[in-house]
Amino acid sequence: MWSNFFVQQDEEGRIGVAGAGQGGGLGGMKVGRGQRRTHKMSDSQEGKIKLAFFVSIIGVTLTVLGMGTEFWVELAQPKNFSGNETCQMAHYGLWKGCIRTLWVADIDPERTNCGPAELPGESNCTYFKFFTSGENAVIFKKTTNKNLNLAAAVLALLSLTMMVMGSICIAMSLSKGVHFFLKPASFCFILSGVLVLLSILIFHQSVLALLSSDHSIPLHHELSWSVACVGSAGAILIFGGFLFIILSLPFSPWQKCWTHKNSAT
């Protein structure tokens, strides 16, 4: 009888140990899964993401700076067109245009056209009415094409929206410590850069349409520093988006090369 009692206890002990082992294994699997789900990025990865985000922020800053100015294009009459001591030129951007009256004596003698816009003179600036009453603007008897100007402005605003969305994705990625938001951020920044460049192209087409609307007054046109600023911003945003794509990969190309080199040694 006592021998049967001890044998039964031994079997129950084995079953208990086996059950505990299975429970421990399941618990370990759960812990392992939880650890994988809450895996945080390393300090070096976080530093690379912050560096790429800094590059993108430079593009965002240049875009905002360029879009808020009215120096996208300069339209200049010949400096002796009016036959007096003054000449007129115009410069405008997406939202506002200015007519400037300059002194011919202040202009470089080698320059045949009125300008540049940085010279001292009188300015008369007005906001375009494309967005309110839908009226076209008239500059030196030439009429703008409001459809092209509206398209350029809308693309610029859409690019700003994508920049904000990309910045939110990067902020969430850094706060949560995960790489999941890097791919949406890369898409947003690349698309914003493409939209910025498309906005410049359409704006240039609107300038050509303005010049072809009337030929009574000869005008010399040149794209100004705001276009250079916005164009550089578009290239920087696209570059920053590709940086986020590389950082979102499990192993970047140079990390694979480094790992292969270490395994070979």
Side-chain angles (χ1 to χ4, degrees), residues 141-143 145 205-215:
K141 298 183 179 181
K142 301 179 186 295
T143 306
N145 188 328
Q205 292 299 317
S206 70
V207 173
L208 297 179
L210 171 72
L211 295 174
S212 62
S213 64
D214 183 82
H215 300 281

Side-chain angles (χ1 to χ4, degrees), residues 130-144:
F130 309 136
F131 314 99
T132 55
S133 61
E135 298 178 13
N136 279 310
V138 178
I139 303 174
F140 298 139
K141 298 183 179 181
K142 301 179 186 295
T143 306
T144 59

Side-chain angles (χ1 to χ4, degrees), residues 115-183:
E118 291 79 15
L119 292 177
E122 298 180 0
S123 296
N124 182 18
C125 298
T126 57
Y127 285 93
F128 294 132
K129 298 181 180 180
F130 309 136
F131 314 99
T132 55
S133 61
E135 298 178 13
N136 279 310
V138 178
I139 303 174
F140 298 139
K141 298 183 179 181
K142 301 179 186 295
T143 306
T144 59
N145 188 328
K146 66 178 182 180
N147 294 328
L148 292 175
N149 289 88
L150 282 172
V154 168
L155 288 176
L157 292 177
L158 286 176
S159 68
L160 289 177
T161 303
M162 299 306 298
M163 293 175 205
V164 172
M165 294 177 62
S167 301
I168 293 174
C169 290
I170 295 302
M172 294 179 65
S173 177
L174 292 174
S175 62
K176 301 295 183 179
V178 294
H179 293 79
F180 173 77
F181 296 101
L182 293 182
K183 290 182 179 180

